[in-house]
Amino acid sequence: AIAVRCQRGHNLCFASELARDYSADIGGREKLLPIREGDDWGFPCCATHDLPFPDVSPSPDCSNVVPEAVSFVIGDTPFSFDFEPGNWAAPYTGSVFIPLHGVAGSWVGARIVAVAVDPMTGVLLPGTTIAGTATGAMSDFASGWDDGLRAHGRPAALAFSADGRLFVANDTNGDILWIAPIGLER
């Protein structure tokens, strides 16, 4: 796990897991997972539930690996995440926001995505970028970092303030920007 955060109001905590670099062709994926006692996420032997990495010997039993609801193609690199505190309008109310750092060297895929959360249970709804675009309950929120210029950085970490401002850290030039819901005073 590279980041851990607990969700407000639901007594649930989650972790973002980075996987083996260059393993997309053999089923590798990065994940956002609930933290529950006894769960096996598969790292470093299993890509996901029932899918061992073929170069691990002897072949591991991956039948007890918990299937993920939220996954990312290798290289999207979900460094951090935070839950919207209830100040944003639909469809972002209560969603989890994730900065995707993008592929090293090219920054392809650098953006911020949002994943819808069940408002009653706090459970993440299924979404993925495995096919190259955000699908399911995952949607692109902010993009443009991967424009080929690499002059303005890329998102590395983010956090919401209590008033709803989303602060985004940039790992190239040290800038921190903020994005606010409509109607929030400066």
Side-chain angles (χ1 to χ4, degrees), residues 2 15-24 27-33 43 47 53 68-79 100-103 127-130 138:
I2 191 169
S16 57
E17 178 198 49
L18 300 186
R20 291 172 48 182
D21 288 338
Y22 312 108
S23 67
R29 75 268 328 265
E30 295 166 327
K31 308 168 190 170
L32 185 59
L33 300 157
F43 187 84
F53 283 119
E68 71 279 352
V70 177
S71 60
F72 306 92
V73 67
I74 297 296
D76 273 358
T77 320
F79 273 5
L100 302 180
H101 200 239
V103 176
T128 186
T129 65
I130 294 292
M138 185 182 299

Side-chain angles (χ1 to χ4, degrees), residues 74-94:
I74 297 296
D76 273 358
T77 320
F79 273 5
S80 72
F81 59 95
D82 199 5
F83 293 87
E84 190 280 325
N87 304 79
W88 290 63
Y92 300 115
T93 310

Side-chain angles (χ1 to χ4, degrees), residues 3-16:
V4 173
R5 179 133 353 224
C6 297
Q7 186 183 23
R8 300 163 187 89
H10 288 288
N11 198 29
L12 297 173
C13 296
F14 298 84
S16 57

Side-chain angles (χ1 to χ4, degrees), residues 18 26 45 51 54-55 103 113 130 137 143 152 154 160 164 176:
L18 300 186
I26 54 175
C45 301
L51 184 60
D55 58 348
V103 176
V113 297
I130 294 292
S143 60
H152 48 265
R154 56 188 172 161
F160 278 96
I176 296 177

Side-chain angles (χ1 to χ4, degrees), residues 100-122:
L100 302 180
H101 200 239
V103 176
S106 71
W107 301 0
V108 169
R111 63 194 186 278
I112 298 172
V113 297
V115 177
V117 173
D118 182 306
M120 298 304 290
T121 64

